Amino acid sequence: MEIGIDSFASAMYGSYLSSADAMEQLLDRIVIADEAGLDVFGIGEHHKKEFLDSAPAVILSAAAARTENITLGSAVKVLSTDDPVRVYQNFATLDLISKGRAELVVGRGSAIEAYPLFGYDLKDYDALFAEKLELFLQIREQEYVTWSGKFRPALTNQPVYPRAFQEKLPVWLGVGGTPASFIRAGSLGLPLMVAVIGGETERFRPLIDLYREAGAQAGFSPGQLKVGLHSPGYVAQTSEQAVADYYPGYAELWTKAGKERGWPPVTKAGFDALIAPKGVLVVGGPEEVAEKLLRHSEALGGIDRFTFQMDNAGLTHRQLMQSIELIGTMVMPLIKKSK
């Protein structure tokens, strides 16, 4: 199982940092993740004041110049509101800078602020993604592209440069809970990244089974149908310390998000259910976290990657750095030892 971090590039306003300092700290965390042996670091995409990730490829390119081994990717790139040609060019350039360490997780986006910002209509939410994914995958396969669609001018034998360092730029499909999205990923033979942020993780097993069934019917082997899991999490020296560090900021930020999306306020009882053995939050000491990841993998029929979303709970830079180091030095060895 690959282990990594996904970040929304928190602006860290509560700590009175400037945006420049917050960005510098984020890059330092990517460097530490590389040095600690983590497999992947992803940058999301939002267009809100509290996040600095509106241009993920730029952040990842800066990280590429300071790292050596870690895979650098999007988490998630909102393909629906961007031009697939420019997305390919940006990530192909990242791939050249990093010498083959770039990848993408693409999706429609659970936050919708990009749609009015770039002049798109939410009624086209799925149609936009389907069309742009088709074009992006064609660009990935072909240097010269002939294509036509509804939302972008046609291309007629048009070359797209630069080409990626890797023969085929890796692309994962990021999904929430829509069955059609799982089926689409399987039918295309794309690796699946499942974002689970609430409830019990095992409830996603029927949807992952749909993905694997669709992939098999389309002629893809089990080895091609990778499954990744993205969830909020945090590791401290002990479970008690992890909860003490994580809960206050988590409750504040997710209660605020709930007001925007219609969720109820966070309670300690609800939080305790989420950090329970089957709950979605991967929060605890190294042993507890490793056991939970292995339990999640078994419940879902095997997962190939897990990524922690950590900068969503008001944690300090120091706490995040220490957590990343613990993941690399203690959690990952425990998972590998279990094989």
Side-chain angles (χ1 to χ4, degrees):
M1 185 193 307
E2 293 181 327
I3 303 293
I5 306 292
D6 287 335
S7 172
F8 295 164
S10 171
M12 299 287 201
Y13 287 118
S15 59
Y16 303 102
L17 285 179
S18 69
S19 293
D21 287 341
M23 186 66 74
E24 182 178 359
Q25 289 185 355
L26 171 62
L27 293 172
D28 287 344
R29 293 196 292 274
I30 301 175
V31 170
I32 286 295
D34 183 48
E35 293 175 350
L38 273 67
D39 297 296
V40 60
F41 204 108
I43 300 293
E45 179 186 345
H46 297 82
H47 302 270
K48 296 181 177 181
K49 181 179 180 180
E50 58 264 39
F51 303 119
L52 302 173
D53 60 347
S54 64
V58 178
I59 298 173
L60 294 167
S61 293
R66 296 180 55 185
T67 56
E68 297 181 0
N69 300 305
I70 197 166
T71 296
L72 301 166
S74 61
V76 165
K77 174 61 192 167
V78 185
L79 189 59
S80 305
T81 59
D82 211 334
D83 182 351
V85 174
R86 290 299 286 158
V87 174
Y88 180 85
Q89 290 175 325
N90 287 339
F91 280 85
T93 302
L94 169 64
D95 205 40
L96 293 171
I97 294 169
S98 65
K99 292 184 171 58
R101 293 187 284 127
E103 67 171 32
L104 292 97
V105 180
V106 299
R108 297 176 296 184
S110 59
I112 60 173
E113 71 274 359
Y115 289 81
L117 182 63
F118 296 111
Y120 291 101
D121 195 323
L122 271 174
K123 69 179 177 61
D124 299 319
Y125 185 73
D126 191 65
L128 277 164
F129 182 69
E131 178 176 297
K132 294 194 175 192
L133 179 61
E134 175 193 351
L135 175 56
F136 184 86
L137 293 176
Q138 185 173 337
I139 294 169
R140 183 178 71 151
E141 297 288 339
Q142 301 171 1
E143 182 175 339
Y144 287 80
V145 179
T146 296
W147 175 91
S148 64
K150 178 181 178 182
F151 300 104
R152 189 203 185 281
L155 298 168
T156 303
N157 201 36
Q158 182 69 45
V160 178
Y161 301 118
R163 305 307 296 176
F165 184 91
Q166 300 171 81
E167 182 176 351
K168 183 179 288 190
L169 195 61
V171 179
W172 296 62
L173 190 61
V175 300
T178 307
S181 296
F182 287 78
I183 293 171
R184 171 159 49 204
S187 299
L188 294 171
L190 295 177
L192 181 77
M193 179 56 69
V194 187
V196 184
I197 61 174
E200 294 186 349
T201 299
E202 64 183 29
R203 65 192 170 91
F204 279 79
R205 177 61 184 268
L207 292 170
I208 291 173
D209 287 345
L210 274 180
Y211 162 71
R212 291 176 171 136
E213 291 165 8
Q217 290 174 6
F220 296 101
S221 68
Q224 293 173 285
L225 301 172
K226 295 182 179 180
V227 175
L229 180 63
H230 158 105
S231 293
Y234 174 68
V235 184
Q237 290 285 356
T238 67
S239 294
E240 293 77 13
Q241 187 62 53
V243 171
D245 290 347
Y246 192 83
Y247 175 70
Y250 175 87
E252 179 182 351
L253 293 178
W254 285 89
T255 296
K256 179 182 177 182
K259 291 179 180 179
E260 298 175 359
R261 301 194 184 190
W263 303 332
V266 175
T267 65
K268 186 58 166 61
F271 177 82
D272 289 343
L274 292 175
I275 63 172
K278 293 184 178 182
V280 65
L281 295 183
V282 186
V283 174
E287 295 81 6
E288 183 179 13
V289 164
E291 290 172 3
K292 192 163 193 176
L293 292 181
L294 293 169
R295 192 182 303 113
H296 281 345
S297 181
E298 182 179 2
L300 297 177
I303 60 174
D304 301 280
R305 175 182 291 182
F306 180 82
T307 54
F308 290 82
Q309 167 56 31
M310 286 197 297
D311 59 0
N312 63 346
L315 297 164
T316 67
H317 175 58
R318 181 179 179 182
Q319 288 171 327
L320 292 169
M321 293 276 273
Q322 290 174 341
S323 187
I324 290 168
E325 290 180 336
L326 286 170
I327 291 168
T329 59
M330 297 189 69
V331 176
M332 292 177 68
L334 287 169
I335 291 173
K336 290 177 181 177
K337 185 179 179 180
S338 71
K339 292 182 179 179

